[in-house]
Amino acid sequence: MKKTLLTVTLAGAFAATAHAQSSVTLYGLIDTGLTYTNNQGGHSAWQMATSSTQNTVFGLKGSEDLGGGLHANFKLEQGFNLNNGTQAFPGDGFGSQAWVGLQSDPYGSLTFGRQFDVVNDLLGPLSAEANTWGGNMAAHPFENDNLAANSVVINNAVKYTSPTFYGATFEGMYAFSNKAGAFADNRAYGFALSWAQGPVNVAAGYLQFNNAGGGVTGTTPNGAISQGDGSANFVAQRQRIWGAGGNYTFGAATVGLVWSHTQIDNMAGVFSFGTGGYLPLAGTLRLDNYEVNAKYAITPAWSVSGAYTYTDGAYGSGTTVAYPAWHSVMLQTDYSLSKRTDVYLEGVYQHVRGAPAGTVLSEAMINTLSPSSTGTQVAVTMGLRHAF
């Protein structure tokens, strides 16, 4: 009887331990290199760069098995600038991501905290700007559609991600302003859907920000989209983003098409990653981005890639009406030294025409760099990436 009782007790203890299995992982990625730009503020420049393609980060992520197909998950991630050790999001302890949630194998996951938006999650991977073979420098003008990896990170967000059914995944998100008496100020919401089957991947989504960065009134600068840490690409009364795209893989090649439409109403300013601050820009702006991209693996270690984006714009402010257009071209070659370390050479060209003189719209500004004094900017970067 005593042996039987001991056996049952030990079996129960081992079962409880099995259900309570947990893991915590330290991880990170470092992206650094040298960048030459033909024109930043009227001068050519050689600079030590960080996060030209992917965000330089370190973080902790963990999961606990709660039993019955239920898991508790978390992620705490900090972005930083390798060249001087400063925070990528000034003043934030974990500016890149900070969330906790529950994941159910049959029902999906629900996460709470500072997170990437749903369009970035599902449509972004189809664009060159969200991938290692293009990255941040390949972003569409002003990173207007939030597809790049260093895009907007949203505070106070509740996000649902469905399980994958027959290749389809759905995400929905709502982010609170967290200010009493200003529920609708500086909030965000959106939804996105992706489908992958064999060589085909497609996705579409919608995203809306109300008074991002506090809007023109400045009443809630650090609500869902913070102005204080540069998370708001645009400080505006409203920003709406629609997008869709797809790609197809055949053999060693992948080709893709992405379209996005961004409507920004009653703007006050646009963020410049190169200067680290907001540049004045008032009025209303509509942008349609049409991107074609391709990647080809010459060998398992060596790849080449490219992308072209035509951005068609319409701008209005008072009596000023203009129809600016941007041409953006990216070419990259990458060689993997190991599974975790690679080197790359990337060039980006941007040209804008038709923009009103004297505004930031008339100055080419490749993402991560300061604006040119003209409508054309060219940058070449030689980089090293290491993941751990």
Side-chain angles (χ1 to χ4, degrees):
M1 181 65 180
K2 290 182 179 179
K3 290 183 179 180
T4 302
L5 181 60
L6 178 61
T7 301
V8 172
T9 303
L10 289 174
F14 283 124
T17 302
H19 283 303
Q21 286 179 351
S22 62
S23 65
V24 176
T25 303
L26 172 67
Y27 70 94
L29 186 142
I30 297 171
D31 180 348
T32 189
L34 298 176
T35 298
Y36 168 78
T37 313
N38 74 322
N39 187 324
Q40 291 190 60
H43 303 279
S44 61
W46 279 98
Q47 297 169 288
M48 181 179 177
T50 183
S51 303
S52 294
T53 59
Q54 289 185 277
N55 295 346
T56 296
V57 300
F58 71 91
L60 293 170
K61 59 182 177 180
S63 177
E64 181 185 14
D65 185 353
L66 302 176
L70 186 65
H71 309 267
N73 300 323
F74 78 90
K75 182 175 282 190
L76 301 173
E77 184 177 286
Q78 172 66 304
F80 64 98
N81 301 308
L82 185 72
N83 54 320
N84 57 19
T86 57
Q87 297 170 320
F89 295 92
D92 294 349
F94 292 99
S96 293
Q97 298 184 71
W99 55 261
V100 66
L102 292 173
Q103 177 186 340
S104 166
D105 293 341
Y107 300 113
S109 65
L110 197 62
T111 51
F112 306 83
R114 182 173 169 88
Q115 309 175 64
F116 292 114
D117 67 70
V118 295
V119 171
N120 188 276
D121 285 348
L122 299 186
L123 181 60
L126 301 179
S127 173
E129 59 186 292
N131 282 282
T132 59
W133 47 269
N136 296 328
M137 284 183 62
H140 302 154
F142 310 108
E143 226 297 88
N144 67 84
D145 49 11
N146 298 346
L147 298 185
N150 73 340
S151 188
V152 172
V153 188
I154 299 180
N155 297 326
N156 316 321
V158 180
K159 181 163 65 176
Y160 169 74
T161 303
S162 76
T164 300
F165 292 108
Y166 301 101
T169 304
F170 170 81
E171 285 192 3
M173 178 203 73
Y174 187 91
F176 297 85
S177 72
N178 267 19
K179 184 168 182 178
F183 181 82
D185 286 345
N186 203 346
R187 64 173 175 173
Y189 53 90
F191 55 87
L193 179 68
S194 68
W195 180 80
Q197 203 69 264
V200 179
N201 292 271
V202 295
Y206 174 77
L207 186 64
Q208 179 165 327
F209 303 151
N210 288 6
N211 291 303
V216 293
T217 62
T219 55
T220 50
N222 298 310
I225 315 293
S226 177
Q227 183 180 155
D229 62 13
S231 289
N233 283 344
F234 292 88
V235 176
Q237 182 179 11
R238 184 174 62 177
Q239 181 177 355
R240 291 171 290 172
I241 299 169
W242 297 262
N247 65 27
Y248 185 84
T249 299
F250 48 97
T254 300
V255 295
L257 295 170
V258 175
W259 163 78
S260 65
H261 172 88
T262 302
Q263 179 74 41
I264 310 157
D265 302 317
N266 199 10
M267 298 179 295
V270 58
F271 187 73
S272 165
F273 288 95
T275 63
Y278 285 88
L279 305 176
L281 181 62
T284 297
L285 182 64
R286 185 266 299 159
L287 298 167
D288 281 282
N289 306 283
Y290 304 92
E291 176 190 327
V292 56
N293 58 63
K295 179 189 177 186
Y296 181 75
I298 299 172
T299 70
W302 181 24
S303 67
V304 293
S305 57
Y308 167 73
T309 301
Y310 174 70
T311 302
D312 179 40
Y315 171 76
S317 178
T319 58
T320 301
V321 176
Y323 299 93
W326 289 259
H327 298 273
S328 304
V329 180
M330 179 280 299
L331 293 172
Q332 187 200 91
T333 183
D334 178 90
Y335 186 81
S336 296
L337 303 174
S338 70
K339 290 184 178 180
R340 297 190 300 161
T341 304
D342 66 306
V343 291
Y344 62 86
L345 175 66
E346 179 170 321
V348 180
Y349 165 87
Q350 186 183 103
H351 175 71
V352 57
R353 59 173 176 79
T359 70
V360 67
L361 298 178
S362 65
E363 302 165 339
M365 186 168 64
I366 295 170
N367 194 35
T368 76
L369 302 176
S370 299
S372 171
S373 62
T374 71
T376 300
Q377 190 172 63
V378 179
V380 178
T381 184
M382 300 168 287
L384 168 69
R385 283 184 297 227
H386 176 74
F388 61 89

